[in-house]
Amino acid sequence: MCGIIEAAIYQLRLQTTDGDEPVDHRSYDPELWEHVKNLVHDEDWGKVASQTAIFVEDRVREWAGDPKSGKGESLVGRELMGRVFSDDSDWRVGSRTAEREAWRALATGFAGALSNVDRHRIQRRDDARRYAVGVLGLGSLLLTQLRHEHGELIEDIQTGADSGVEDEPSSLE
């Protein structure tokens, strides 16, 4: 009897989880998910992509202490990602030169290819869901890797603790 009940429960779970949720929230950076979850549930895929791009850039800028250009302006897009993920940055990702270069290319590619198009125009695509979930995945990957490699720095920034990063502005200027 228990086996029949367990099989029935299993079948119900398959029926209720297969297709009811547009994406599995556990697969994404929790803060990013919190930012876009209502858009995902509303299946507003264009906004999922654009808000993901905006959130990732905002979070990277905030964590890195709002790096500035030579003119004192906040960096945006590819310039921001290139600076934050540079070899001489406290926020570089990867343990070897080739890895660091690849992560930097991924981050600048995200900003250049996805962020630009999704923030500056409304896309009408037949594959809008798949595209938005891909943007969400790549944005989440970048944030996840930063959290993995720099969790203590991020925690210090989010809690307002003195991490010493402010004492070293030359690493991002």
Side-chain angles (χ1 to χ4, degrees), residues 22-23 28 43-46 48-49 114 118 125-138:
V23 294
Y28 300 101
E43 298 188 21
D44 193 345
W45 302 118
V48 169
L114 305 175
D118 292 318
R125 303 173 59 121
D126 294 338
D127 62 348
R129 175 185 174 149
R130 186 176 310 127
Y131 176 81
V133 170
V135 173
L136 181 58
L138 180 52

Side-chain angles (χ1 to χ4, degrees), residues 15-16 29 37 39 46-47 69 80 90 99 105 110 120 137 170:
Q15 290 173 1
T16 59
D29 176 84
K37 71 180 179 183
L39 297 171
K47 288 181 183 171
S69 69
L80 171 67
D90 292 337
E99 289 175 41
F110 176 84
H120 299 299
S170 61

Side-chain angles (χ1 to χ4, degrees), residues 74-87:
S74 292
L75 293 177
V76 298
R78 292 182 62 195
E79 288 182 79
L80 171 67
M81 296 301 189
R83 178 82 58 86
V84 172
F85 285 81
S86 71
D87 284 343

Side-chain angles (χ1 to χ4, degrees), residues 102-161:
W103 279 106
R104 183 172 48 254
L106 195 61
T108 58
F110 176 84
L114 305 175
S115 182
N116 276 338
V117 75
D118 292 318
R119 286 183 301 159
H120 299 299
R121 68 174 170 248
I122 296 171
Q123 293 199 70
R124 290 171 181 48
R125 303 173 59 121
D126 294 338
D127 62 348
R129 175 185 174 149
R130 186 176 310 127
Y131 176 81
V133 170
V135 173
L136 181 58
L138 180 52
S140 179
L141 176 63
L142 291 169
L143 296 177
T144 298
Q145 191 65 22
L146 283 166
R147 288 182 195 281
H148 173 72
E149 293 196 29
H150 302 294
E152 289 181 22
L153 278 174
I154 293 167
E155 182 68 25
D156 288 347
I157 288 165
Q158 290 180 332
T159 62

